[in-house]
């Protein structure tokens, strides 16, 4: 009897442990936005069960295997019952997925002319009646289009939209939608805040980590179609036989998901691993070395995407080491990749202070004269702003200034300057502000987005890159909310016209809950979080006053004697007379790098928007603003406003207790607390430091 009782107790305890382990595992953030939990509202569930009774696929390529696997997993999970896969329609509620070329059913359901307009990556989703049955068709020209369509269909259900009368047609505006990993070959990640690199080079090519596939699924679900595997501060080793073999294994896992791999290369590779005495891009042996290297890569990775290059910047070598130009360097690589369809993304992140004492002007001065000199498979990859992923910057003036060159935009998903993985900062509004900025390159209405997608200047290639924040942490991104930035980057890369709010809502529904209270509150928190970060870190156009090196927290008094433009005082220029960097025509004249009327508007402190005021102007502390306050009062107001927002987010999050699973709830609660501490520090340190100048006069009074 006793034995039986103790056996029962053990069994019960074991079941409890199992239950909790499963619950915890289910809600540790690993699944990202692909959670596929069963829908709890009975009415909705029956709506979906009515519309989805079988998955009909007639194709068996690796991409279609991925489509089938995802739809089966997703639909069965969401509907709480196994959805069978078939090769023909046998009942109402069939979901047919296929390409025009391979699927006889798709050929009957979707016309060639209809599909023509969606291109290689696009898809259509339609509700139809066919053969007396209700059918949903997901049709595309290519398997990858069908994969994107399948993920979109899942998203409709995850966000609880009706499946009645679907009539959707989508295609991406930008061709290359890339993640740039700043992952080093030793497993560390530059500016990574989510653990180590997910690429386990020491295990490859023998062992294939299960995460590679989940990484591919997540990216494909938001349309990302390329990954630069290694850091732009590159090592020549990535081009050795050993690493090419390892990378080929990663490429094999990502390929079915429509993702190509790319390498960041080191310009001196021919010397470091090729035994040549020079890396001069005009030297015939060097050119031949790059051609042979391309051949070697494509033999192993036939769909290899190309190279990303950081040249002659922050210690990386470049063509300038040999007296050559950016164009000489980029074109040499482009020539080697061209026979295979590869591209070169040559970064414009250069700031040789000998070119101009204002760092913000350097890239423009170096690159604009080269417009027209680059090969047609070269992108110039520009960061979103002219300095370096600051919480807020005006758009990079290279957009609109190099019409003969394909320009890729580079955003930073990893939050180097925006609180790292400790702060809840939703970056879509920042990226939207940039993409929606009017460059006035051809009069009003030429947005940065139009230049990036190639339409403004009629380029055959277009691209967008996001510096990945992904790491080995179980939740991939460090902060659960940093996942939203990965998601938002992909969604915007697919469609730059989506609103930040729509993306936040989708992500919240898929990641947290469809409960209206949760959705509305989380969306609200997210939507104001970037502006709050700007407020408590660098309001009114201030920039780069972060702590030296790690860039977390404030250090406005930082002076770097070796490189003045690495110190904070270089940027804020606070003194007894005022604060801000004078980039007006009486200062560095960086405003002149923008088209009219922007140049004129930003040139005067009277018309310059408050958000860019101290970016373009050095103004007295008592400068009267339109709001009626002085500059110093307004600065104090912004710092306080930023802090208040974080405190508000804490309250809002706390009110969600019980509506969010405990593990993720606590994780976010703890991080919000860290964020509040850090926001307070920013406010106090900056106001104390600036106050020493601003309140000098007041203090002198008896
Ligand atoms: C990869 C900033 C970062 C560096 C980064 C560099 C770049 O300076 O702090 O870590 O290096 O940008 O974009 O190349």
């Amino acid at each position: 009897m006793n034995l039986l009782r103790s056996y029962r107790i053990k069994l019960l305890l074991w079941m409890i442990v199992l239950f909790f382990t499963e619950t915890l595992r289910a809600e540790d953030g690993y699944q990202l936005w692909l959670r596929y939990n069963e829908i709890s509202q009975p009415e909705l569930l029956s709506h979906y069960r009515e519309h989805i009774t079988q998955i009909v696929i007639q194709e068996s390529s690796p991409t279609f295997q991925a489509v089938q696997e995802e739809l089966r997993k997703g639909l069965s999970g969401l509907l709480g019952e196994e959805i069978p896969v078939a090769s023909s329609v046998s009942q109402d509620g069939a979901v047919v997925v296929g390409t025009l070329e391979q699927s006889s059913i798709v050929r009957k359901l979707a016309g060639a002319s209809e599909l023509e307009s969606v291109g290689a990556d696009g898809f259509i989703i339609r509700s139809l009646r066919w053969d007396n049955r209700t059918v949903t068709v997901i049709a595309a020209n290519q398997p990858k289009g069908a994969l994107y369509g399948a993920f979109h269909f899942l998203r409709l259900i995850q966000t609880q939209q009706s499946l009645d009368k679907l009539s959707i047609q989508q295609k991406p505006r930008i061709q290359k939608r890339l993640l740039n990993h700043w992952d080093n070959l030793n497993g560390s990640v530059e500016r990574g805040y989510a653990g180590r690199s997910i690429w386990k080079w020491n295990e490859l090519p023998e062992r294939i980590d299960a995460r590679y596939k989940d990484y591919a699924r997540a990216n494909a679900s938001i349309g990302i179609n390329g990954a630069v595997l290694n850091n732009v501060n590159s090592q020549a080793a990535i081009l050795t036989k050993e690493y090419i073999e390892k990378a080929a294994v990663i490429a094999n896992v990502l390929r079915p998901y429509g993702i190509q791999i790319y390498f960041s290369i080191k310009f001196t590779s021919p010397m470091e691993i090729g035994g040549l005495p020079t890396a001069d891009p005009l030297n015939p042996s060097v050119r031949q070395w790059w051609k042979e290297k391309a051949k070697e890569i494509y033999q192993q990775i036939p769909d290899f995407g190309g190279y990303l290059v950081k040249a002659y910047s922050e210690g990386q070598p470049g063509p300038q080491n040999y007296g050559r130009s950016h164009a000489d360097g980029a074109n040499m690589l482009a020539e080697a990749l061209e026979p295979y369809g590869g591209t070169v993304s040559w970064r414009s992140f250069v700031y040789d202070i000998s070119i101009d004492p204002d760092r913000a002007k350097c890239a423009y001065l170096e690159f604009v004269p080269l417009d027209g000199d680059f090969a047609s498979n070269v992108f110039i990859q520009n960061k979103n702003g002219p300095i370096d992923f600051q919480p807020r910057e005006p758009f990079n003036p290279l957009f609109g200034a190099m019409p003969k060159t394909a320009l890729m935009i580079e955003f930073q998903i990893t939050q180097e300057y925006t609180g790292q993985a400790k702060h809840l900062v939703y970056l879509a509004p920042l990226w939207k502000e940039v993409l929606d900025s009017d460059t006035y390159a051809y009069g009003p209405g030429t947005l940065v987005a139009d230049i990036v997608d190639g339409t403004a200047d009629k380029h055959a290639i277009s691209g967008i890159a996001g510096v990945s924040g992904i790491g080995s942490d179980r939740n991939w991104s460090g902060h659960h909310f940093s996942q939203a930035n990965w998601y938002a980057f992909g969604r915007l890369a697919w469609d730059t016209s989506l609103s930040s709010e729509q993306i936040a809502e989708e992500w919240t529904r898929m990641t947290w809950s469809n409960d209206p209270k949760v959705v509305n509150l989380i969306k609200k928190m997210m939507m104001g979080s970037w502006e709050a970060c700007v407020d408590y870190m660098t309001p009114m156009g201030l920039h780069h006053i972060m702590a030296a090196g790690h860039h977390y927290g404030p250090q406005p008094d930082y002076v770097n004697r070796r490189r003045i433009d690495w110190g904070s005082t270089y940027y804020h220029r606070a003194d007894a007379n005022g604060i801000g960097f004078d980039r007006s025509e009486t200062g560095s004249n960086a405003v002149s790098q923008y088209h009219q009327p922007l140049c004129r508007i930003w040139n005067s402190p009277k018309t310059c928007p408050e958000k860019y005021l101290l970016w373009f102007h050095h103004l007295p502390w008592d400068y009267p603003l339109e709001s009626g306050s002085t500059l110093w009062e307004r600065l104090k107001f912004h710092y306080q406003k930023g802090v208040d927002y974080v405190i508000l987010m804490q309250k809002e999050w706390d009110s969600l207790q019980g509506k969010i699973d405990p593990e993720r709830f606590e994780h976010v609660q703890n991080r919000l607390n860290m964020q509040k501490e850090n926001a307070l520090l920013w406010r106090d340190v900056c106001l104390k430091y600036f106050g020493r100048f601003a309140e000098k006069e007041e203090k002198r009074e008896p």
Side-chain angles (χ1 to χ4, degrees):
M1 193 63 186
N2 265 353
L3 242 180
L4 197 62
R5 192 175 298 147
S6 93
Y7 173 75
R8 276 193 191 141
I9 291 173
K10 269 188 194 157
L11 190 70
L12 191 70
L13 280 175
W14 182 234
M15 282 170 71
I16 292 172
V17 169
L18 251 184
F19 172 78
F20 279 110
T21 318
E22 276 310 300
T23 317
L24 285 177
R25 199 170 280 151
E27 300 297 1
D28 57 11
Y30 181 81
Q31 297 174 86
L32 297 158
W33 47 88
L34 301 175
R35 284 167 75 242
Y36 306 143
N37 288 354
E38 186 178 340
I39 291 155
S40 52
Q41 298 94 313
E43 266 178 36
L44 262 178
L45 198 56
S46 65
H47 171 79
Y48 292 131
R49 284 184 176 164
E50 197 182 304
H51 284 75
I52 302 163
T53 59
Q54 59 173 177
I55 302 160
V56 179
I57 295 183
Q58 296 181 305
E59 289 158 69
S60 60
S61 66
T63 298
F64 265 95
Q65 282 167 27
V67 171
Q68 177 172 323
E69 205 179 297
E70 198 69 34
L71 280 178
R72 201 167 174 180
K73 181 182 164 119
L75 295 176
S76 304
L78 287 158
L79 273 58
E81 60 185 25
E82 190 62 25
I83 305 296
V85 178
S87 58
S88 62
V89 175
S90 60
Q91 58 202 57
D92 275 337
V95 177
V96 178
V97 199
T99 61
L100 199 62
E101 203 180 290
Q102 299 292 325
S103 163
S104 57
I105 313 177
V106 165
R107 272 198 297 282
K108 286 178 193 142
L109 297 180
S113 59
E114 191 180 14
L115 274 173
E116 208 173 309
S117 60
V118 299
D121 288 6
F123 57 85
I124 58 171
I125 305 181
R126 289 265 149 76
S127 310
L128 300 165
R129 268 201 82 73
W130 182 64
D131 210 8
N132 239 357
R133 301 210 158 91
T134 56
V135 173
T136 304
V137 62
I138 304 172
N141 293 305
Q142 296 210 358
K144 57 182 174 176
L147 180 69
Y148 296 139
F151 274 114
H152 190 79
F153 184 66
L154 286 165
R155 180 159 46 237
L156 294 177
I157 304 164
Q158 288 178 280
T159 55
Q160 303 198 336
Q161 297 180 50
S162 162
L163 297 186
D164 287 332
K165 300 194 184 112
L166 291 177
S167 177
I168 296 167
Q169 193 182 57
Q170 286 206 5
K171 67 169 181 185
R173 283 178 57 174
I174 300 174
Q175 290 160 9
K176 288 183 179 269
R177 307 174 294 276
L178 312 182
L179 286 185
N180 288 185
H181 290 264
W182 285 358
D183 295 20
N184 298 311
L185 302 184
N186 67 5
S188 61
V189 182
E190 183 154 349
R191 310 302 178 189
Y193 313 102
R196 310 263 306 157
S197 171
I198 55 166
W199 313 124
K200 299 199 173 148
W201 295 108
N202 54 343
E203 296 177 357
L204 287 161
E206 287 82 18
R207 188 180 167 274
I208 305 175
D209 195 279
R211 272 185 108 124
Y212 302 159
K213 185 170 155 188
D214 288 328
Y215 165 87
R217 290 175 51 233
N219 280 325
S221 77
I222 47 177
I224 287 171
N225 65 0
V228 182
L229 300 184
N230 61 315
N231 192 357
V232 286
N233 289 329
S234 178
Q235 286 170 272
I238 191 72
L239 291 180
T240 56
K241 183 169 176 288
E242 185 192 351
Y243 275 91
I244 295 171
E245 270 170 23
K246 289 169 190 277
V249 173
I250 299 177
N252 291 343
V253 181
L254 306 191
R255 187 171 299 114
Y257 291 88
I259 301 166
Q260 292 177 278
I261 66 157
Y262 297 69
F263 292 151
S264 292
I265 59 101
K266 191 161 183 189
F267 202 74
T268 44
S269 298
M271 297 166 76
E272 290 187 43
I273 57 166
L276 296 183
T278 177
D280 181 350
L282 298 192
N283 178 296
S285 312
V286 172
R287 298 177 82 85
Q288 188 55 29
W289 187 88
W290 283 108
K291 283 184 184 159
E292 278 163 22
K293 191 47 78 180
K295 188 171 170 203
E296 183 188 342
I297 295 173
Y298 280 93
Q299 266 161 5
Q300 300 228 28
I301 312 169
D303 58 346
F304 180 70
Y307 297 143
L308 170 62
V309 195
K310 172 173 176 176
Y312 212 55
S313 165
E314 297 187 335
Q316 287 290 304
Q320 292 78 358
N321 294 78
Y322 310 94
R324 312 297 183 192
S325 72
H326 289 293
D328 293 330
N331 291 345
M332 169 191 65
L333 299 173
E335 186 187 48
L337 295 173
E338 195 273 336
Y340 313 96
T343 54
V344 175
S345 300
W346 190 271
R347 296 174 92 222
S348 68
F349 180 65
V350 292
Y351 53 103
D352 179 349
I353 217 78
S354 70
I355 291 189
D356 194 280
D358 179 0
R359 172 174 168 177
K361 288 171 66 187
C362 294
Y364 182 102
L365 292 173
E366 272 200 57
F367 278 89
V368 172
L370 297 174
D371 189 29
D373 292 352
F374 292 98
S376 58
N377 58 335
V378 172
F379 287 102
I380 296 304
Q381 181 164 318
N382 303 325
K383 288 190 179 183
N384 58 267
I387 299 276
D388 187 11
F389 300 135
Q390 293 306 292
R392 173 179 262 141
E393 299 187 33
F395 71 87
N396 191 327
L398 280 166
F399 293 108
M402 295 186 71
K404 295 185 195 133
T405 311
L407 299 178
M408 193 179 292
I409 196 164
E410 179 179 315
F411 290 120
Q412 197 179 40
I413 303 169
T414 191
Q415 293 169 237
E416 174 182 358
Y417 293 103
T418 50
Q420 303 178 358
K422 297 196 177 105
H423 293 207
L424 190 169
V425 181
Y426 174 51
L427 294 171
L430 183 171
W431 302 333
K432 281 293 283 181
E433 182 170 285
V434 174
L435 290 166
D436 291 347
S437 293
D438 197 342
T439 65
Y440 293 91
Y442 304 107
T446 317
L447 308 187
V448 169
D450 304 327
I451 289 165
V452 172
D453 72 16
T455 52
D457 299 305
K458 307 202 173 25
H459 288 297
I461 55 172
S462 57
I464 181 166
V467 180
S468 139
I470 298 163
S472 61
D473 275 7
R474 184 75 193 153
N475 73 4
W476 302 86
S477 302
H479 196 309
H480 286 293
F481 273 85
S482 300
Q483 295 178 353
N485 294 327
W486 178 7
Y487 182 85
F489 170 76
R491 295 291 285 137
L492 282 176
W494 180 270
D495 182 357
T496 49
S497 72
L498 290 176
S499 74
S500 310
E501 199 167 2
Q502 177 184 338
I503 297 171
E505 172 152 353
E506 273 176 14
W507 176 80
T508 303
R509 287 179 179 276
M510 295 163 81
T511 309
W512 297 102
S513 162
N514 273 295
D515 175 333
K517 179 177 174 200
V518 179
V519 175
N520 289 334
L521 211 60
I522 290 186
K523 199 168 66 173
K524 182 168 162 267
M525 288 168 65
M526 289 168 75
M527 285 307 292
S529 60
W530 166 57
E531 196 68 55
C533 169
V534 173
D535 274 336
Y536 63 70
M537 287 187 182
T538 50
M540 301 177 77
L542 285 173
H543 50 289
H544 221 305
I545 55 173
M546 294 67 197
H550 56 74
H551 297 161
Y552 184 76
Q555 197 178 342
D557 63 353
Y558 175 45
V559 181
N560 186 314
R561 297 201 192 283
R562 204 163 53 88
R563 283 288 309 238
I564 50 158
D565 56 335
W566 283 356
S568 303
T569 55
Y570 166 87
Y571 293 100
H572 63 65
R573 302 188 171 213
D575 57 21
N577 300 322
I579 180 170
F581 199 127
D582 186 359
R583 295 192 169 104
S584 72
E585 61 189 15
T586 53
S588 81
N589 203 18
V591 277
S592 68
Q593 294 184 341
Y594 292 92
H595 293 277
Q596 294 296 8
L598 283 183
C599 170
R600 196 170 51 245
I601 296 169
W602 291 352
N603 187 49
S604 161
K606 293 263 169 287
T607 47
C608 182
E610 189 179 287
K611 63 185 178 184
Y612 301 142
L613 202 55
L614 303 177
W615 184 280
F616 287 112
H617 299 280
H618 187 85
L619 297 170
W621 296 103
D622 59 358
Y623 181 81
L625 294 163
E626 239 179 60
S627 55
S629 344
T630 66
L631 175 62
W632 174 233
E633 283 164 356
R634 193 74 182 155
L635 213 52
K636 288 192 282 188
F637 164 80
H638 278 288
Y639 273 107
Q640 187 57 44
K641 187 162 150 266
V643 167
D644 289 345
Y645 194 86
V646 180
I647 294 169
L648 180 68
M649 283 203 292
Q650 285 190 296
K651 286 204 188 106
E652 289 173 334
W653 186 254
D654 286 348
S655 77
L656 293 178
Q657 187 154 25
K659 289 187 169 281
I660 302 280
D661 52 281
E663 193 194 22
R664 290 188 301 166
F665 178 81
E666 269 169 42
H667 171 105
V668 173
Q669 197 176 44
N670 288 337
R671 302 245 159 170
L672 279 170
N673 208 29
M674 289 186 217
Q675 183 172 2
K676 184 189 78 187
E677 294 304 318
N678 194 245
L680 285 169
L681 188 76
W682 269 97
R683 182 197 65 186
D684 295 345
V685 169
C686 291
L687 291 183
K688 186 168 175 211
Y689 175 82
F690 294 135
R692 281 190 355 223
F693 307 108
E695 289 172 358
K696 213 170 175 182
E697 293 309 312
E698 289 166 35
K699 276 182 197 145
R700 268 205 207 122
E701 279 167 21

